[in-house]
Amino acid sequence: MSVEILGTYAVTLFLLIGSGFAAVGVLGLLKFNDSMTRLHAPTKVGTVGIGALLLASVGHSFLIGGSSMHELLIMAFLFVTAPISANFIAKVNIHSRSCETPPAPLQDSTWSTLNVPEEEREVEEKPS
Amino acid sequence: MTRARNWLLPHPFLTLLLAVVWMLLQNEVSAGMVVFGVILGIIIPKITAIWWPDTPKGFRLGKMITYSFIVLWDILVANIQVAWIVLSVPNSKLRPAWIVVPLELRQPEAITMLAGTITLTPGTVSADLSSAGHSLLVHVLHTDDPDAIRDEIKSRYERRLMEIFQ
């Protein structure tokens, strides 16, 4: 077996793993019924799914002769930005009261998201 | 001498990082690219200095590298765990919970890294920081024992970050 064939198999394997994880992420997003639990599926499963797809891309570019390192950068930026978007969605959930109210912090008075004077809050509270 | 160095390189690791990112963007390693990367690495921290008011006092690169590998491994394990929960646990049996993690870390950079790590690892998403930054609000996807997860975050990640940023 030559290197090309082995490489092609490796690329295929990574493509399958990546798309499998991405599919599970989407399934989780559809399946869970609460906005906070929905947040978990895409933030985590998405990173490895895309990571595996990018590895496949690196492998393929080495196979056809050119080497490409852009994928490493994409992965680094993804790892840096995924927590931030998750954090913002979580904050919106806390604000709009679409999840259980979080417990009070141990030492300080409140969570920084909720630390706004009542009259400046722009998100309307849902009637319960 | 140290003053000149502090003026030119207020954030040496940021300079290094920017140079490496530039070379990765260009997709080639040559003398010209190294020089241009270093120039960018010196100019960009200068221009954005207003958003970097104080440098972290100590920063241990070696421990940081070990930490990155631990986190990468945990991300891999976390993904398989979460994928398993998505596929096997029915919604009615899912037990999500809020956890309050008291923080011993004080530097903003270190807390940011801890929050990012928590979001990327086993079934947890960091949601908020308390108003004076003394505790972190974490949401867990599925757990029977929230205290165990809090202790794991403290012993596995926070202790290591305390050693990195001293």
Side-chain angles (χ1 to χ4, degrees), chain B residues 65-144:
Chain B
I65 293 168
T66 343
Y67 182 78
S68 324
F69 278 109
I70 292 173
V71 171
L72 271 181
W73 173 251
D74 284 357
I75 290 173
L76 213 64
V77 175
N79 274 275
I80 295 165
Q81 281 177 351
V82 172
W84 181 246
I85 292 175
V86 167
L87 294 176
S88 70
V89 182
N91 277 348
S92 53
K93 286 204 183 131
L94 201 65
R95 255 173 290 175
W98 289 108
I99 298 181
V100 179
V101 182
L103 287 175
E104 284 162 55
L105 292 167
R106 283 294 165 267
Q107 284 108 320
E109 291 89 355
I111 296 179
T112 312
M113 284 202 57
L114 181 66
T117 312
I118 290 172
T119 301
L120 288 174
T121 49
T124 48
V125 166
S126 52
D128 207 355
L129 199 65
S130 68
S131 51
H134 288 112
S135 30
L136 195 66
L137 181 66
V138 176
H139 189 266
V140 192
L141 178 58
H142 179 63
T143 180
D144 293 321

Side-chain angles (χ1 to χ4, degrees), chain A residues 31 44 70 108 110 112-113, chain B residues 25 79 89 91 128-130:
Chain A
K31 182 197 146 198
K44 275 174 283 294
H70 288 171
D108 304 327
T110 185
S112 49
T113 308
Chain B
L25 268 178
N79 274 275
V89 182
N91 277 348
D128 207 355
L129 199 65
S130 68

Side-chain angles (χ1 to χ4, degrees), chain B residues 4-76:
Chain B
R5 204 193 64 201
N6 283 342
W7 183 84
L8 198 64
L9 298 171
H11 307 283
F13 289 108
L14 185 63
T15 305
L16 188 70
L17 188 71
L18 283 167
V20 171
V21 166
W22 173 254
M23 273 179 287
L24 284 175
L25 268 178
Q26 291 303 316
N27 215 354
E28 66 171 88
V29 181
S30 63
M33 285 303 149
V34 173
V35 171
F36 201 71
V38 170
I39 291 174
L40 280 181
I42 289 171
I43 291 175
I44 292 175
K46 283 259 118 190
I47 298 173
T48 56
I50 195 163
W51 291 294
W52 306 83
D54 34 43
T55 335
K57 288 286 171 297
F59 181 79
R60 297 184 173 177
L61 196 61
K63 292 210 166 173
M64 184 67 215
I65 293 168
T66 343
Y67 182 78
S68 324
F69 278 109
I70 292 173
V71 171
L72 271 181
W73 173 251
D74 284 357
I75 290 173
L76 213 64

